[in-house]
Amino acid sequence: MKKVILIVLSLILAIGLGLGIFAFVTWQRADETLVPRVTVQAFGQTLEPVAYEWGAPLLGGLMTKHFEGTTEAATRDLGEIQLPESNFGFPAGYLASLNLTRDGEPAYNGTVEAWSDTLAAQPGAYRLEITCEKVRDAADKRGTGSFNY
């Protein structure tokens, strides 16, 4: 009887150790290639993210490896724009929010849909920051995170 218990415990230990090694190797092999390349369209220009945060699920969602950082993309001068022009294109499945400042003061912070309704054309230097966020969807196992433009 002692021999059977010892064999069962050894098998449980071996299976646990094997699963742990497999999880460790999977974690170590996960790299930045799991972060999707997400671009947005703004006023006729394609923008690359300048910063990102992304959680990539591993082993069917049992573990999540987080990545964050900045990219080599520089901020872009969109030139002179006419308001209330809302020329935006966002990837499907992402929620977008805009933060517009005029001469350092907040001018708008909200969704793309309400953006043109709240702005009045005033001359000045504007800075537009766009955040695209992917929220977890039970059917979509590709990860969650946000991208800043």
Side-chain angles (χ1 to χ4, degrees):
M1 185 67 173
K2 287 182 182 180
K3 197 174 197 180
V4 172
I5 292 173
L6 186 60
I7 291 172
V8 169
L9 288 176
S10 296
L11 281 173
I12 291 172
L13 182 63
I15 290 171
L17 185 61
L19 290 174
I21 290 171
F22 180 70
F24 177 76
V25 169
T26 300
W27 184 271
Q28 291 299 318
R29 294 190 70 196
D31 59 9
E32 300 280 331
T33 59
L34 296 174
V35 178
R37 304 261 182 214
V38 178
T39 60
V40 300
Q41 299 290 321
F43 304 103
Q45 295 188 37
T46 301
L47 304 178
E48 299 284 335
V50 294
Y52 62 89
E53 288 181 11
W54 190 256
L58 304 174
L59 298 177
L62 294 175
M63 300 186 311
T64 302
K65 187 164 186 178
H66 293 276
F67 301 97
E68 62 180 62
T70 58
T71 64
E72 296 176 7
T75 56
R76 302 270 291 280
D77 182 0
L78 298 177
E80 187 173 323
I81 59 174
Q82 300 297 318
L83 297 177
E85 183 179 323
S86 58
N87 231 352
F88 294 103
F90 299 103
Y94 286 80
L95 302 174
S97 63
L98 305 175
N99 182 19
L100 184 70
T101 56
R102 178 179 169 266
D103 299 325
E105 296 294 320
Y108 177 75
N109 189 1
T111 65
V112 177
E113 294 79 19
W115 131 284
S116 62
D117 297 336
T118 59
L119 295 179
Q122 296 177 2
Y126 287 87
R127 178 179 173 85
L128 176 63
E129 295 175 3
I130 302 170
T131 301
C132 280
E133 183 177 3
K134 175 78 169 168
V135 292
R136 184 162 295 263
D137 181 356
D140 186 5
K141 301 281 187 188
R142 290 180 286 188
T144 60
S146 63
F147 297 88
N148 298 319
Y149 302 85

